[in-house]
Amino acid sequence: MKRVHPVTVLFKLTKYFWVLAVPIIRAILAAGFDVSGAFKGSFIDITVMLFLISRAVIKYLFTYISADEKGITVKSGAVMKKTIFMPYNSMTCLKLDRDPFISLFHASKLSVYCNASKNAVIKAYCTLATASRIEASNSAAFNEDTAAYNTIY
């Protein structure tokens, strides 16, 4: 099992983090970079931001992904453990996004879909090496399945 990519922390921060960060940055700029004066009225905002950051880091630290010849497994959770196993033959779509921003961090976004759900069953950020391994395993499994279906008896 490999830990997901550290860029996960950035994407696990909720939109509320950024909503709280803007007023704090504005207060620091308005106070002439007097950080102690700017933080006096922002104690609750800072506490919530620290909670959101720690929540994202804990999610990153306790999420693992692995791919073998049978399928993809994602284990997550610090207290409430959750394991998702998706066999290759149950996947309808395996999507690996390598957009320019994520590629700067040598990462790839993995999304796995199946017939039972319209949303992605698995969403994770993984290293490019893990993404390549998943692609190779999926291709090998697909080739085995198509060979089995095309066999004439």
Side-chain angles (χ1 to χ4, degrees):
M1 299 292 289
K2 291 250 187 199
R3 185 171 282 144
V4 293
H5 198 278
V7 78
T8 304
V9 174
L10 283 176
F11 292 102
K12 289 291 181 185
L13 287 174
T14 63
K15 60 185 174 192
Y16 304 112
F17 174 81
W18 305 110
V19 169
L20 292 171
V22 171
I24 291 174
I25 293 169
R26 187 190 48 150
I28 292 170
L29 293 174
F33 293 99
D34 179 23
V35 177
S36 63
F39 284 164
K40 285 181 184 175
S42 303
F43 179 74
I44 293 175
D45 293 342
I46 293 169
T47 305
V48 171
M49 285 178 64
L50 289 175
F51 170 75
L52 293 173
I53 291 170
S54 60
R55 182 176 161 254
V57 169
I58 289 171
K59 281 187 176 187
Y60 159 71
L61 290 174
F62 290 98
T63 303
Y64 296 91
I65 188 169
S66 72
D68 57 11
E69 63 278 350
K70 296 178 183 172
I72 299 171
T73 305
V74 177
K75 293 185 179 186
S76 62
V79 177
M80 308 260 301
K81 305 278 185 195
K82 182 171 127 180
T83 301
I84 299 173
F85 175 72
M86 178 64 68
Y88 290 120
N89 60 2
S90 296
M91 295 178 193
T92 55
C93 179
L94 181 117
K95 181 175 162 187
L96 288 165
D97 288 332
R98 294 184 179 118
D99 67 18
F101 178 72
I102 296 174
S103 295
L104 290 174
F105 299 103
H106 301 287
S108 180
K109 181 181 178 184
L110 169 72
S111 302
V112 178
Y113 298 87
C114 70
N115 280 334
S117 175
K118 65 178 181 177
N119 296 328
V121 176
I122 296 175
K123 290 181 187 175
Y125 292 91
C126 56
T127 61
L128 292 176
T130 304
S132 297
R133 192 168 55 249
I134 289 170
E135 277 181 324
S137 298
N138 185 39
S139 295
F142 178 75
N143 290 338
E144 288 175 14
D145 284 348
T146 54
Y149 288 131
N150 293 332
T151 304
I152 299 174
Y153 294 101

